[in-house]
Amino acid sequence: QNMHDKKVTQGLLVVLSSPSGAGKTSLATSIVSEHEEVVFSVSATTRPPRIGEVEGREYYFVKTVDFRAMIQNGDFIEYAEVFGNFYGSPKKDIQELIECGKDVIFDVDWQGGTQIRNSNLASSVVSIFILPPSIQALEERLLSRAQDDKSIVDFRMLEARSEISHWAEYDYVLINDNFSRVKDSIVKIIETEKMRRQRQLTLPNFIADLNDEFDVIKNKI
């Protein structure tokens, strides 16, 4: 079941942000797996490929010098440096996807969200901020991942406070107290935003057809 008819509407850029541990990655992955018209953008990165990663599937792997040249050319809708490696979303790919009616989901922090909202594709952006049900729940989730030691969890908790302070910059804010309900809400937001007048690409032609019908009827009178 398609969420919408991809022939009649342009795709969206769905910006999903949250503090680390509040569930944005799990939500995004689940939505992409269940809705074929929603896709992740494939990022370019300067970090080396990990075992099992395929060029163009997980990432485009590029040299740092080439990445810097792409920044200079304005080729990215957003980019960031994380632990000494660059990551960025190529604008050309995203433009092509939304023109085909695909919705491109971005799992980014508030800074990435700001870059996307300020890009030349801003009119296609819908931004959603995910809040944890409580700070205790957030800390418990970070600790239960078991992949980070306590000092990293403490650092992420500090980051979380800063991240949450940007909630009011987003179009929608959802509290992740029930995973499936929040996921359904995100899908509904996408469906509703697609119905906005300016995103229904075939409306002008449909209105023209209605007016032609008026003319035919008027000529019969």
Side-chain angles (χ1 to χ4, degrees):
Q1 166 90 33
N2 268 6
M3 239 195 269
H4 44 255
D5 183 343
K6 51 181 165 257
K7 293 182 189 67
V8 299
T9 52
Q10 188 171 328
L12 298 175
L13 306 187
V14 183
V15 172
L16 214 55
S17 299
S18 77
S20 183
K24 72 178 183 303
T25 304
S26 302
L27 287 162
T29 304
S30 183
I31 290 166
V32 167
S33 70
E34 291 171 16
H35 299 276
E36 63 179 28
E37 67 279 13
V38 185
V39 296
F40 278 118
S41 72
V42 178
S43 297
T45 184
T46 57
R47 79 153 170 77
R50 293 180 183 144
I51 290 167
E53 288 183 334
V54 177
E55 166 70 22
R57 187 181 68 190
E58 281 80 14
Y59 289 98
Y60 300 114
F61 298 98
V62 299
K63 297 187 178 77
T64 303
V65 63
D66 296 332
F67 197 102
R68 289 186 191 280
M70 291 172 79
I71 293 172
Q72 290 298 314
N73 293 339
D75 291 342
F76 294 115
I77 190 168
E78 60 84 30
Y79 70 90
E81 189 177 356
V82 184
F83 302 123
N85 292 306
F86 285 106
Y87 296 81
S89 306
K91 206 178 281 181
K92 180 173 166 289
D93 291 9
I94 293 154
Q95 183 91 51
E96 287 171 3
L97 285 165
I98 62 171
E99 282 172 5
C100 296
K102 296 280 188 189
D103 300 316
V104 184
I105 207 161
F106 293 85
D107 165 3
V108 290
D109 65 8
W110 73 268
Q111 289 159 306
T114 301
Q115 289 182 55
I116 296 167
R117 283 198 304 274
N118 292 339
S119 73
N120 64 347
L121 298 176
S123 64
S124 299
V125 174
V126 175
S127 59
I128 305 168
F129 196 89
I130 308 296
L131 288 170
S134 69
I135 300 308
Q136 186 185 346
L138 184 70
E139 186 176 38
E140 284 169 1
R141 181 161 173 168
L142 287 168
L143 287 167
S144 71
R145 285 180 176 183
Q147 64 193 43
D148 300 330
D149 63 33
K150 185 74 171 71
S151 64
I152 292 175
V153 169
D154 291 344
F155 172 70
R156 292 201 190 284
M157 291 297 288
L158 279 174
E159 277 189 325
R161 184 168 204 157
S162 165
E163 186 82 27
I164 287 170
S165 73
H166 295 275
W167 67 274
E169 295 159 26
Y170 286 73
D171 299 323
Y172 299 88
V173 180
L174 302 173
I175 298 164
N176 190 9
D177 53 1
N178 179 304
F179 184 85
S180 62
R181 190 166 65 227
V182 172
K183 185 175 68 170
D184 289 346
S185 295
I186 294 168
V187 171
K188 282 179 187 146
I189 288 166
I190 295 171
E191 288 174 339
T192 304
E193 287 286 339
K194 301 285 283 199
M195 288 185 233
R196 282 185 184 267
R197 170 179 50 78
Q198 63 270 33
R199 291 188 179 130
Q200 293 193 53
L201 302 180
T202 57
L203 264 186
N205 288 338
F206 183 74
I207 300 296
D209 289 344
L210 292 181
N211 284 322
D212 287 346
E213 275 193 84
F214 272 126
D215 292 339
V216 167
I217 291 166
K218 187 176 75 178
N219 291 335
K220 283 181 181 170
I221 293 168

